[in-house]
């Protein structure tokens, strides 16, 4: 590598609530010579960060503007309502959107759910962020509907959450610029996220198997022909020569010995 060439690296962006640690660990095991750097971006910022080459790929929340971007949907999250622990909703396992009709439901400016109409009654002002809205729920101002991962991310001891039905769900996707300057690395990360093995044909090029050496017998060594076998089947009597001469020679010795006459 010349001094003008830069060492390869991979930049991964992710939105709050996504936990990329498992995939980062696999990356570090498979590509220890290619550093992976992480950056957190808001759901609204993520598409522009990718288009501006601020990251090679990123975990985003759908829907997004797909102009110049590719995306693979990965999973869909459960939607929950965050409430104080002493709220009536905390006494049930699940609640419907209609049951929150009389409640003030906060709708932060960074909300990631694709609402047609949010449930409940709107607050006088919209909080700037989901984290700000969590603080307002703790203060008893209203309730908050979010993807479950965000409820876990901003967890407080005085709050809890319950599954809510009849509302949109958040879909998490892996996205990257269509004209990606590091397509091989992006393909590698896609394979990791999708669970491909290290020897997958769509992942890295697998190491070709080494050719096996030919063996003349089970021991792997060339066996020398036994004495007397050079003649093939016609030499079978010669196989006894190794144990003291051929049978024909022994017979001749017996016939040549004079017998005593009585």
């Amino acid at each position: 590598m010349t001094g003008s060439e830069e060492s390869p690296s991979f930049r991964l962006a992710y939105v709050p609530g996504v936990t990329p640690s498992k995939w980062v660990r696999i990356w570090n095991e498979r590509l220890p010579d290619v550093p992976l750097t992480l950056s957190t971006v808001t759901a609204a910022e993520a598409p522009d960060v990718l288009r501006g080459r601020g990251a090679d790929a990123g975990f985003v929340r759908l829907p997004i503007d797909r102009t110049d971007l590719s995306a693979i949907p990965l999973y869909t999250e459960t939607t929950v309502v965050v409430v104080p622990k002493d709220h009536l909703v905390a006494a049930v396992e699940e609640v419907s959107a209609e049951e929150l009709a009389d409640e003030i439901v906060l709708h932060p400016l960074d909300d990631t759910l694709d609402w047609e109409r949010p449930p409940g009654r709107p607050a006088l002002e919209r909080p700037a962020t989901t984290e700000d809205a969590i603080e307002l729920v703790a203060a008893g101002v209203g309730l908050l509907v979010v993807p479950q991962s965000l409820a876990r991310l901003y967890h407080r001891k005085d709050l809890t959450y319950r599954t809510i039905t009849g509302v949109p769900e958040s879909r998490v996707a892996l996205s990257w610029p269509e004209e990606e300057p590091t397509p091989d690395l992006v393909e590698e990360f896609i394979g990791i996220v999708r669970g491909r093995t290290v020897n997958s044909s769509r992942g890295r090029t697998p190491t070709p198997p080494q050719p096996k050496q030919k063996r003349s017998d089970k021991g792997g060594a060339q066996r020398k022909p036994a004495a007397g076998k050079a003649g093939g089947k016609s030499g079978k009597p010669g196989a006894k020569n190794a144990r003291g001469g051929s049978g024909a020679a022994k017979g001749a010795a017996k016939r040549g010995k004079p017998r005593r006459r009585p």
Side-chain angles (χ1 to χ4, degrees):
M1 182 179 290
T2 65
S4 61
E5 294 179 341
E6 295 182 0
S7 299
S9 63
F10 190 73
R11 300 163 301 161
L12 179 66
Y14 66 100
V15 297
V18 175
T19 306
S21 55
K22 177 182 71 173
W23 299 307
V24 172
R25 175 180 54 79
I26 297 174
W27 176 280
N28 291 333
E29 291 173 353
R30 293 188 186 179
L31 293 91
D33 298 329
V34 182
L36 187 153
T37 58
L38 294 170
S39 60
T40 306
V41 295
T42 67
E45 294 171 341
D48 289 337
V49 169
L50 294 173
R51 289 192 195 94
R53 301 302 191 270
D56 298 301
F59 291 106
V60 302
R61 291 189 183 276
L62 301 177
I64 60 169
D65 179 4
R66 296 280 292 271
T67 305
D68 300 326
L69 296 177
S70 298
I72 300 174
L74 299 177
Y75 59 89
T76 300
E77 284 198 70
T78 300
T79 305
V80 300
V81 55
V82 181
V83 301
K85 279 192 171 180
D86 58 357
H87 195 278
L88 289 176
V89 170
V92 299
E93 294 295 324
E94 186 179 272
V95 65
S96 67
E98 291 77 12
E99 291 176 283
L100 301 182
D102 296 331
E103 300 282 352
I104 293 178
V105 178
L106 303 168
H107 189 207
L109 295 174
D110 66 352
D111 188 11
T112 60
L113 296 173
D114 188 21
W115 295 106
E116 183 177 336
R117 181 181 180 278
R121 297 185 293 124
L124 295 178
E125 294 183 5
R126 294 183 65 181
T129 66
T130 297
E131 190 171 8
D132 292 337
I134 290 286
E135 297 296 325
L136 293 175
V137 175
V141 174
L143 310 183
L144 176 65
V145 178
V146 291
Q148 183 171 313
S149 65
L150 292 181
R152 290 175 175 171
L153 178 64
Y154 300 120
H155 174 70
R156 288 174 52 119
K157 292 183 179 180
D158 53 349
L159 300 180
T160 188
Y161 57 85
R162 295 292 183 267
T163 301
I164 180 170
T165 60
V167 295
E169 295 176 316
S170 177
R171 293 180 297 152
V172 174
L174 178 65
S175 182
W176 64 94
E178 289 183 349
E179 296 183 2
E180 173 54 49
T182 56
D184 292 341
L185 295 180
V186 171
E187 181 64 28
E188 186 73 37
F189 192 75
I190 291 171
I192 289 173
V193 171
R194 286 188 155 182
R196 295 179 199 152
T197 63
V198 68
N199 289 325
S200 169
S201 60
R202 295 189 63 185
R204 304 183 75 191
T205 303
T207 303
Q210 297 297 320
K212 295 182 179 179
Q213 295 182 348
K214 288 187 176 182
R215 296 183 299 178
S216 58
D217 58 78
K218 294 183 179 179
Q222 186 72 26
R223 181 180 294 173
K224 295 181 179 180
K229 284 192 175 182
K233 292 184 179 179
S234 61
K236 281 186 179 180
K240 297 182 181 180
N241 289 347
R243 295 197 296 265
S246 67
K250 289 183 178 180
K254 289 182 180 180
R255 286 193 298 270
K257 187 178 180 179
R259 299 180 63 185
R260 286 177 88 176
R261 299 191 178 201

